[in-house]
Structures are given as structure tokens and as C-alpha cells.
Amino acid sequence: MTATTLRQPNSELGLDRSAVELGLIDDATARGAGRWLEATLPALHVESVTKRFVVGRRKEPVTAIADVSLRLERGGTLGILGANGSGKSTLIRLVSGLLTLDEGRVSVFGHDIVRDEMAVKRLINRVSVDAAFFKKLSPMENLLFAARLYGIDAGHARRQTVEICERLGIARKRLDRPVEQLSRGMQQKVAIARALLTSPALLLLDEPTTGLDPRSKLDVQAFIEEVRTTHDASIVLTTHDLDEADRLCERIAVLDAGRAVVQDSPDGLKRLVASQGQPATLHAVFMTYTGRSLDDDVAEEDAEADD
């Protein structure tokens, strides 16, 4: 009998490699158990993660993320709310492997981001508020270059680029202009298109609609919903927009000073503050658990976008 190694053995059920070798279960059972175990693994599991930064030789390290634990099920959307400096972007960079962990563990579909770095990178893509491009090249050239890095056929990538960009509201004629001639909002749309081109299993969206006009913001939000339902993608979304979080996210975590102060579904969070005599809104949730409003941050971002 040929031994079959399961990707994630489950000791509680006894379905591991030794069970197959000893003849306690057959190959078909092992393969079925392997598929079941893989399907039950979360898209993202953040366990007691801490990240500190050294800011000076004689100063104490600054803790950007403090003992944060999060879980995102497959096909779900997790929203992370927080004021500027709360640790949202730091957390996204940790998950994407751009920063190293000081404490804790992060896994993506069962792959440890430290031990299985390359496997994780094949599963994720990230969109940040400050997307980087070859500014002299056009959006089409930038996206085809990204597709080549992922081994995507050039003809397929070109067709997908046109389709994705049109659904995001980017006119075909803009695809051949240098990126430096596009507005900040249009560049952000191109960044989202670049991430979606690789069909990531886990999409990390770090404030993807910041700087977009209201119409463009609605276009992007609608497309995020479409990606989640049609491509079976799991999504982590950081945002300042409470309405956006309410619309797109099945679960929300609120960060304050690097800590996850409350987590639940949007409706669960609203019920929580309503039981304390507060209005049943996400704004009340944020005020209750952080002691501040997101309005100031949003006003600052709107001013920057106008500039």
C-alpha cells in the first residue's frame, strides 16, 4: 500500500501519515481527509502578533502592533478599521511579508509566512494607498510586466487587463498613456487592476479607495464585491470609510494604538454598542472603543486629495 502524506495532519482524527503506513486507513480516505482539512483551513490566521520599531539608540522601541490575533475564513472579507497610526498598514505589511514578525505567527491557507515564504507569495497580492509604478510606462506596460513576473501568458494578460480596467472605469484610451499623466485616483485603480490580474487567493487592500472621487469609489467597491463572489477570493480591507466597511466586510476588527480592541460582524458590533445605550452605528462603535472619531482623519485625507 502506497503511503500518502496529508498537507495538514489532524492528530485528533488520527489521519496522519503513520495511519496510512500502518494500514489503519486507505489512500482514498487519506486523500479525502486531506481535501477536507485543506478546505477547513482559514484564508488568514494571525496569532498573537507583535511588531516593534527601533526609533533611536537611546529610545525605547515603539510597539506598532501589540498581541493582535485575527482570523479570516475562506471567501470572506475582513475589515480593519483604525485611525492614522493605529497599525493598520503595519499589519498588512506583516501579513504580506514586507516586515518581519517580532512575536507571534501568521499563516495563509495553512502556510506559515516565514517557513513557506514563496508559497505564501504565490497566494497573495497587495494594493497599498501609495502604489509604485514605472511612471514613464503606460498602465498596459506596467500590467503586462507584472503578469510576466507571475508567468501569465502575454495575450491572456492583455485581454484581462482591458477587461478589468473597463470594469473599474478606466477607459481603453488611457491604458497607453504614461502613468505619470494619470490622476492619483486613476493610478489607484490601475494598482487594483494589477493586483487582480494575478487572481490572488488572498487580496490585501490597504485603503484602496483613498483619494478616489465618489463615483470611482463606488466603482471600486462594486468590483471588490464582484471579485469576492465570482473569483472566490478572500479579502483583507483596511479603510477609514465606515460605510465602505459596513457594505463590504463580513467581519470587522478595530485597531487602536496597535491593539485589536473589538472584533465582530458589523451587525454584531452595532448590537454591542446599542446594548450600552449608544446609537447602533459603526461610528458609535469606533467612538466607544477608541475614544475618538474617524472624521478628522477623513477630513485630512480629503484635503490631501484636493491638493
Side-chain angles (χ1 to χ4, degrees), residues 9-294:
N10 189 327
S11 58
E12 292 181 2
L13 298 177
L15 299 177
D16 57 14
R17 180 176 179 178
S18 60
V20 179
E21 293 174 337
L22 292 172
L24 300 178
I25 58 174
D26 57 22
D27 285 345
T29 301
R31 285 193 297 271
R35 287 191 294 270
W36 178 82
L37 289 168
E38 185 177 351
T40 60
L41 292 170
L44 174 67
H45 195 190
V46 177
E47 304 174 73
S48 303
V49 164
T50 295
K51 178 63 182 177
R52 305 180 186 89
F53 292 103
V54 177
V55 294
R57 185 176 299 177
R58 298 183 179 179
K59 296 181 179 179
E60 291 292 324
V62 173
T63 301
I65 296 292
D67 195 27
V68 169
S69 294
L70 303 168
R71 183 183 174 99
L72 170 63
E73 301 300 338
R74 290 177 176 234
T77 301
L78 171 65
I80 301 176
L81 293 177
N84 289 331
S86 63
K88 301 189 305 299
S89 293
T90 298
L91 184 58
I92 292 293
R93 293 188 182 103
L94 287 168
V95 171
S96 61
L98 296 176
L99 293 174
T100 57
L101 301 170
D102 289 330
E103 297 174 17
R105 180 176 181 269
V106 176
S107 60
V108 175
F109 295 99
H111 297 284
D112 185 276
I113 65 167
V114 177
R115 296 196 307 269
D116 308 320
E117 180 182 2
M118 294 310 298
V120 169
K121 287 183 176 180
R122 285 191 291 267
L123 291 169
I124 67 175
N125 213 322
R126 168 179 167 265
V127 177
S128 69
V129 68
D130 296 314
F133 295 101
F134 296 107
K135 294 296 181 72
K136 299 295 183 183
L137 300 183
S138 67
M140 178 63 78
E141 290 168 328
N142 271 279
L143 268 64
L144 290 179
F145 177 77
R148 185 175 180 182
L149 293 177
Y150 279 83
I152 302 173
D153 175 74
H156 176 73
R158 185 177 292 274
R159 291 190 296 272
Q160 285 293 102
T161 293
V162 173
E163 180 182 340
I164 292 172
C165 288
E166 286 181 345
R167 282 149 65 193
L168 284 169
I170 305 174
R172 178 66 180 84
K173 63 183 180 180
R174 294 180 181 270
L175 295 181
D176 296 320
R177 298 179 183 176
V179 169
E180 63 186 1
Q181 294 181 10
L182 302 179
S183 67
R184 177 184 174 187
M186 193 61 66
Q187 290 184 27
Q188 190 68 356
K189 284 189 175 184
V190 174
I192 294 170
R194 181 175 58 186
L196 296 174
L197 185 62
T198 64
S199 299
L202 178 62
L203 184 57
L204 307 174
L205 300 175
D206 191 6
E207 301 184 28
T209 60
T210 296
L212 299 183
D213 61 83
R215 173 60 184 273
S216 295
K217 180 177 287 192
L218 290 175
D219 288 342
V220 171
Q221 290 172 350
F223 194 49
I224 290 172
E225 289 179 314
E226 180 182 340
V227 168
R228 183 180 60 186
T229 56
T230 62
H231 295 273
D232 195 30
S234 305
I235 298 172
V236 178
L237 169 72
T238 73
T239 180
H240 280 144
D241 189 328
L242 296 173
D243 291 334
E244 181 172 270
D246 203 358
R247 172 182 175 179
L248 298 177
C249 302
E250 293 152 346
R251 190 170 180 83
I252 291 174
V254 178
L255 292 191
D256 185 42
R259 295 185 178 276
V261 292
V262 66
Q263 300 180 51
D264 206 335
S265 66
D267 288 341
L269 292 172
K270 293 173 192 175
R271 288 194 297 269
L272 189 60
V273 294
S275 69
Q276 302 173 31
Q278 302 294 324
T281 65
L282 287 184
H283 181 80
V285 170
F286 199 85
M287 285 288 294
T288 298
Y289 288 95
T290 69
R292 59 174 298 176
S293 171
L294 276 176

